[in-house]
């Protein structure tokens, strides 16, 4: 997968820009608040159809503008293509179009077209931070290579919202309507089972890839392990086996039913993939509790880089890597490992304050970014 060109129109602090992206590594460097991240956001928005920084698309047009567009030219093993995402006013309303080579694409179709791995300083919190970060990590990784998983997640979230809404209605009426709740349980159980099965299947590939990086940085051997933890509302359980979606569906039906009262009192669904977590261990000890900050960051780095191998193993080509402001957060040893790992294998776009923090050579382009203008430098 190679990105070839990015065009932005009235996007953030770019009035109009066209940037050739064909190099192995492209570095956007400069002072704070100049527009470096806006460029990665532009790539992401054109590729995926949405920003990674905000859900509020009214923030994207340049100040004073209403319409904006982001266009990406890329090449994969099927040839060259063009993705265009634009939003503009029509009769007082905003209209958004997502086009692949001029033809409309749905968000689902678009999601897997350009495989991207995005790494931001927030991801360095992957080990210690909120469980939602680790769920998002898993979900984004799997959904990119599996449209089935993408659908399961979308449907699950919809049914979960409906079940939660129903629980709140019951609470407001002070009456638990079990028969209706069982109907929601059935719909949710089937989707939850599919999600859990996909996650557990993906996990061993992710671990294998993450270990290569982790061992390479720490000089250990298979020190990193992962376990999948089911939060069950009234406790938690490590999942050690995967009996398959049929068995999980039965499990969820039963366990959701047993939690009717608890869920009614709380007004939300206390069991399911939306509550689960990943526990990350170094030599058998949870890194979250016992790891040094360095170990935690190394594991986070290894897990993020595992996405590259995981996607390649399924898609047979590397995704593109977007590194937003991560280099300055890593010490020299980890920085060198990271750059050594990507250099020459993965097309990478990175932002950094100081050009010297990215001492890469080969097929590299560097741009100094100043107030939404780019200047190519050696
Ligand atoms: N919709 C918009 N229109 C015009 N300018 C915008 C818009 N949204 C953000 N900006 C400007 O973009 C700049 C921030 O850009 P960006 O987040 O890319 O910074 P950066 O160069 O990555 O900085 P840092 O190194 O601090 O992360 C700010 O000057 C901000 O005012």
């Amino acid at each position: 997968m190679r990105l070839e060109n990015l065009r932005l129109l009235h996007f953030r602090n770019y009035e109009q820009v066209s940037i050739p992206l064909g190099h192995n590594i492209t570095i956007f460097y400069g002072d704070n608040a100049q527009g470096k991240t806006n460029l990665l956001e532009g790539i992401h928005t054109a590729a995926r159809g949405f920003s990674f920084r905000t859900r509020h698309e009214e923030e994207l047009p340049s100040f004073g503008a209403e319409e904006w567009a982001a266009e990406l030219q890329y090449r994969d093993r099927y040839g060259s293509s063009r993705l265009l995402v634009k939003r503009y006013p029509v009769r007082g309303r905003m209209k958004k179009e997502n086009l692949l080579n001029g033809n409309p694409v749905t968000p689902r179709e678009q999601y897997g077209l350009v495989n991207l791995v995005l790494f931001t300083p927030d991801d360095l919190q992957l080990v210690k931070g909120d469980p939602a970060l680790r769920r998002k990590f898993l979900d984004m990784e799997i959904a990119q290579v599996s449209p089935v998983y993408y659908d399961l997640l979308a449907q699950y979230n919809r049914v979960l919202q409906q079940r939660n809404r129903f629980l709140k209605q019951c609470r407001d009426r002070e009456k638990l309507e079990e028969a209706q709740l069982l109907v929601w349980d059935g719909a949710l159980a089937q989707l939850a089972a599919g999600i859990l099965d996909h996650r557990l299947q993906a996990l061993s590939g992710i671990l294998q890839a993450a270990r290569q990086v982790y061992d390479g940085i720490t000089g250990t051997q298979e020190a990193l392990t992962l376990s999948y933890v089911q939060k069950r509302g009234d406790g938690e359980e490590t999942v050690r086996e995967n009996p398959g979606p049929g068995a999980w569906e039965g499990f969820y039906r039963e366990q959701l039913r047993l939690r009717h009262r608890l869920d009614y009192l709380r007004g939300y669904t206390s069991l399911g993939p939306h509550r689960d977590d990943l526990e990350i261990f170094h030599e058998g000890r949870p890194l979250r509790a016992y790891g040094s900050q360095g170990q935690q960051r190394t594991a986070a780095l290894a897990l993020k880089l595992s996405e590259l191998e995981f996607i390649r193993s399924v898609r047979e080509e590397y995704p593109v890597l977007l590194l937003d402001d991560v280099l300055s957060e890593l010490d020299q040893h980890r920085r060198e490992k990271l750059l050594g790992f990507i250099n020459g294998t993965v097309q990478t776009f990175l932002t950094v304050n100081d050009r010297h923090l990215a001492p890469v050579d080969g097929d590299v382009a560097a741009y100094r970014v100043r107030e939404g203008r780019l200047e190519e430098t050696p």
Side-chain angles (χ1 to χ4, degrees):
M1 169 83 44
R2 297 293 282 193
L3 306 189
E4 295 181 325
N5 198 78
L6 174 71
R7 245 167 33 92
L8 299 174
L9 182 70
H10 306 315
F11 185 92
R12 295 286 191 186
N13 63 342
Y14 293 91
E15 277 308 309
Q16 193 164 1
V17 68
S18 174
I19 314 159
L21 304 179
H23 297 276
N24 273 343
I25 298 185
T26 304
I27 302 167
F28 300 116
Y29 70 97
D31 294 340
N32 293 125
Q34 299 302 311
K36 302 182 297 295
T37 303
N38 293 346
L39 292 168
L40 300 192
E41 188 182 27
I43 294 176
H44 188 282
T45 304
R48 287 277 167 80
F50 58 89
S51 163
F52 63 83
R53 293 164 112 187
T54 179
R55 284 195 209 170
H56 304 288
E57 292 198 332
E58 64 281 5
E59 293 171 15
L60 297 180
S62 305
F63 298 146
E66 269 192 299
E67 64 181 62
W68 57 267
E71 185 186 61
L72 191 64
Q73 186 94 31
Y74 68 96
R75 174 177 289 281
D76 59 14
R77 56 207 164 108
Y78 305 109
S80 202
S81 296
R82 197 163 45 86
L83 269 169
L84 171 64
V85 176
K86 55 181 178 175
R87 202 162 177 263
Y88 53 94
V90 182
R91 287 189 289 278
R93 296 182 125 220
M94 293 307 285
K95 179 175 160 94
K96 187 171 171 196
E97 285 190 285
N98 298 36
L99 304 169
L100 173 66
N101 299 323
N103 302 309
V105 275
T106 63
R108 174 183 185 272
E109 287 163 345
Q110 187 165 1
Y111 200 81
L113 286 176
V114 177
N115 291 125
L116 292 180
V117 171
L118 169 70
F119 193 5
T120 73
D122 282 351
D123 293 310
L124 289 166
Q125 299 298 316
L126 200 60
V127 173
K128 208 176 159 189
D130 199 82
L133 270 178
R134 291 180 287 280
R135 287 194 293 270
K136 189 170 159 207
F137 158 74
L138 270 181
D139 288 344
M140 287 186 63
E141 187 152 347
I142 306 170
Q144 279 204 62
V145 293
S146 168
V148 174
Y149 189 75
Y150 181 99
D151 288 344
L152 280 169
L153 276 180
Q155 289 168 28
Y156 180 82
N157 287 329
R158 227 175 4 250
V159 174
L160 178 67
Q161 270 185 13
Q162 287 166 331
R163 188 179 189 271
N164 285 344
R165 216 174 298 134
F166 181 71
L167 284 165
K168 287 197 188 89
Q169 281 168 7
C170 288
R171 216 171 50 172
D172 292 346
R173 292 189 212 125
E174 297 183 8
K175 183 168 187 296
L176 173 58
E177 293 181 36
E178 297 242 28
Q180 179 62 31
L181 199 51
L182 281 171
V183 177
W184 290 121
D185 291 356
L188 201 65
Q190 193 196 8
L191 298 164
I195 290 172
L196 181 57
D197 180 57
H198 271 79
R199 284 186 182 171
L200 294 174
Q201 283 194 42
L203 219 51
S204 59
I206 292 170
L207 176 61
Q208 215 179 357
R211 272 182 173 167
Q212 277 180 22
V213 183
Y214 192 79
D215 289 344
I217 298 177
T218 55
T220 48
Q221 275 206 335
E222 304 201 343
L224 189 73
T225 43
L226 300 174
S227 24
Y228 190 91
V229 181
Q230 257 179 347
K231 304 272 171 172
R232 297 189 171 181
D234 43 5
E236 58 180 56
E237 194 84 26
T238 298
V239 177
R240 299 189 195 282
E241 281 172 9
N242 183 11
W248 285 124
E249 188 177 337
F251 163 85
Y252 279 118
R253 272 179 193 274
E254 173 68 5
Q255 294 295 323
L256 285 168
R257 190 179 61 75
L258 290 173
R259 281 165 181 73
H260 275 185
R261 189 103 218 128
L262 182 73
D263 288 1
Y264 165 70
L265 291 172
R266 290 186 178 174
Y268 64 81
T269 305
S270 57
L271 171 84
H274 64 291
R275 313 243 324 142
D276 293 348
D277 200 358
L278 267 188
E279 183 81 87
I280 302 153
F281 298 87
H282 173 91
E283 291 177 343
R285 281 190 205 90
L287 267 174
R288 188 164 41 99
Y290 298 108
S292 69
Q293 206 192 24
Q295 283 174 321
Q296 290 171 353
R297 286 184 162 216
T298 304
L301 183 60
L303 285 167
K304 280 310 285 184
L305 294 184
S306 78
E307 288 192 46
L308 301 171
E309 287 298 335
F310 178 77
I311 291 171
R312 186 180 75 134
S313 68
V314 181
R315 283 291 163 100
E316 292 171 14
E317 57 187 354
Y318 275 112
V320 168
L321 180 62
L322 307 182
L323 290 178
D324 187 21
D325 222 0
V326 181
L327 292 183
S328 52
E329 301 278 331
L330 298 172
D331 62 29
Q332 194 181 344
H333 176 61
R334 290 186 187 85
R335 211 160 43 228
E336 280 168 7
K337 287 283 176 188
L338 169 61
L339 294 173
F341 187 83
I342 57 174
N343 205 356
T345 39
V346 183
Q347 194 189 18
T348 303
F349 300 89
L350 62 88
T351 70
V352 68
N353 285 130
D354 182 352
R355 168 73 178 88
H356 300 295
L357 287 179
V360 278
D361 46 29
D363 183 18
V364 179
Y367 294 92
R368 188 201 305 272
V369 181
R370 249 184 290 196
E371 294 181 5
R373 291 190 206 303
L374 301 177
E375 177 199 348
E376 190 165 5
T377 65

